[in-house]
Amino acid sequence: MTDGRVAVLVSGGGTNLQALIDAQEKGIIKSGRIVLVVSSNPDAYALTRAKNAGIPTFVAEKGSGFEKSIVAALDAAKVDFIVLAGFMKILSAGFVRRYERRIINVHPSLIPSFCGEGFYGLRVHQAALDYGVKVTGATVHFVNEIPDGGEIIAQKAVAIRENDTAETLQKRVMRLAEHKILPLALEKVLSESRR
Ligand code: GAR
């Protein structure tokens, strides 16, 4: 059971955060609400997106107190559900266990391809192009101790074009897959966790 108080953890541009904010405004996300945005990067544009939407933000300082400071911020905001939306740090097993089946992540490939440690951001798309696959996509999954290893909630495929670069592919996977399935997956798990 949760109260649907959601934190979104980010590190960069925050287009997935924006998709969640927009979905919340449109009523697509209705079983919870975003009460906090946590960034591992003080310069992340995602922080501006959060401020523009009136959502409180917290920047976690790198170093030994990194996770501890995040837990304190989550507790203070009474967060009971976490979305990793372009969060470029791997969370410890202790952190993940604390929020068992209450953390979801969006990954820019069709898991189990091009995932796990070292596969993040543009690297994922470059690996897909280097391998020569014709179809890639995005996955939303629960987070457990294994990087990108938790139960899959949603996936969407995207065709690769002959002249794609990692950058063009990343943009298309975000627009056609990530930004569509992440809000729907969040609403699904929130509504199920409130029953
Ligand atoms: C997204 O493509 C997300 O799937 C990816 O980073 C990008 C963040 O973009 N995440 C990972 O690679 C995690 N393994 P955004 O800040 O615009 O949402």
Side-chain angles (χ1 to χ4, degrees):
M1 280 287 282
T2 73
D3 292 327
R5 293 179 64 83
V6 178
V8 183
L9 274 54
V10 298
S11 300
T15 65
N16 280 289
L17 168 66
Q18 191 65 55
L20 293 172
I21 292 169
D22 294 347
Q24 183 167 280
E25 280 169 7
K26 286 185 193 144
I28 294 166
I29 294 171
K30 53 179 190 289
S31 303
R33 66 194 171 96
I34 304 166
V35 297
L36 183 67
V37 168
V38 174
S39 179
S40 61
N41 166 13
D43 301 321
Y45 185 68
L47 289 168
T48 304
R49 295 180 190 274
K51 283 173 191 150
N52 289 343
I55 301 167
T57 59
F58 174 76
V59 176
E61 302 286 335
K62 289 193 182 80
S64 57
F66 178 75
E67 271 193 5
K68 235 180 164 177
S69 74
I70 295 179
V71 170
L74 297 174
D75 284 351
K78 297 191 168 51
V79 164
D80 54 19
F81 215 95
I82 297 168
V83 180
L84 307 184
F87 188 64
M88 297 304 176
K89 296 265 178 209
I90 291 182
L91 294 162
S92 72
F95 185 101
V96 169
R97 269 198 295 270
R98 197 184 161 107
Y99 299 95
E100 203 186 343
R101 284 185 81 82
R102 289 188 290 133
I103 313 178
I104 66 171
N105 176 50
V106 60
H107 182 78
S109 75
L110 294 174
I111 289 175
S113 290
F114 313 117
C115 64
E117 224 161 327
F119 286 98
Y120 56 85
L122 280 173
R123 290 176 181 223
V124 179
H125 301 291
Q126 193 57 56
L129 292 175
D130 291 348
Y131 197 95
V133 292
K134 303 300 177 201
V135 175
T136 185
T139 303
V140 179
H141 62 93
F142 283 110
V143 172
N144 65 11
E145 286 106 297
I146 304 157
D148 298 323
E151 186 186 321
I152 290 173
I153 302 159
Q155 287 188 306
K156 190 158 187 239
V158 173
I160 290 180
R161 294 179 186 159
E162 259 184 31
N163 54 356
D164 262 329
T165 62
E167 286 81 6
T168 62
L169 186 55
Q170 179 185 52
K171 281 206 180 83
R172 212 161 62 258
V173 168
M174 282 174 162
R175 182 167 54 83
L176 299 179
E178 297 185 48
H179 300 169
K180 297 241 159 41
I181 63 173
L182 181 59
L184 295 177
L186 177 60
E187 173 54 28
K188 179 175 188 282
V189 293
L190 283 175
S191 65
E192 286 171 2
S193 74
R194 297 191 82 166
R195 268 181 214 146

